[in-house]
Amino acid sequence: MAKSVRGLYPGSFDPLTNGHLDLIARGIKIVDELVVAVLRNPDKHTMFSLDERLEMLKEVTAPMGNVRVESFDGLLVEYAARRGAQVILRGIRAVSDYEYELQMALMNRKLNQDVETVFMMPAEQYSYISSRLVKEVHLLGGSIRDLVPSVVVERLKAKTPI
Ligand code: PNS
């Protein structure tokens, strides 16, 4: 019987975007189970609390069969080992992402050679979307409707009515 592959898709997801969703949809085609792992980052200021980020991801991924949403702290590779994940999934939108992603992938490989990083490209219409720009555009009154799921639009509006 073929080995079952568990993938880990880590990130801050502050908040999740349509680009993240596109990557999750691509990821579940190549692994048997995908764990979306939200970083619990007490040092980093986030707009959304950990619970809020988890809730939004859970709501949006609920119709997808083989996706779980969890949180983690500490080293990603240690979390991957604890969860029995063989693959770390990361998205690369443009060449500018590559350097940081390469550095992380090689550091993670140095720390644990049993976990492979797999890069996937989101659809090109999402290549300019980032959580940071979504927040900035919203705070400055621009429309983010095509950039994030509707639950995120509603949560952003509730948090920062404009
Ligand atoms: O969405 P982000 O902010 O680009 O995600 C970054 C993340 C969560 C993947 C990265 O910060 C991470 O893996 N943090 C966990 C701590 C760790 O393992 N650091 C060493 C990895 S090089």
Side-chain angles (χ1 to χ4, degrees), residues 47 130-142 144 156:
M47 176 180 268
S130 69
S131 301
R132 184 180 64 80
L133 281 185
V134 163
K135 286 179 283 194
E136 185 173 317
V137 168
H138 173 74
L139 287 172
L140 295 173
I144 50 158
L156 268 169

Side-chain angles (χ1 to χ4, degrees), residues 10-13 39 44 72 74-77 90 100-101 104 107-108 111:
S12 305
F13 303 104
L39 180 66
K44 196 172 152 186
F72 79 103
L75 281 179
L76 176 62
V77 286
R90 291 285 290 173
Y100 170 60
E101 293 298 333
M104 281 206 297
M107 180 61 81
N108 284 333
L111 295 169

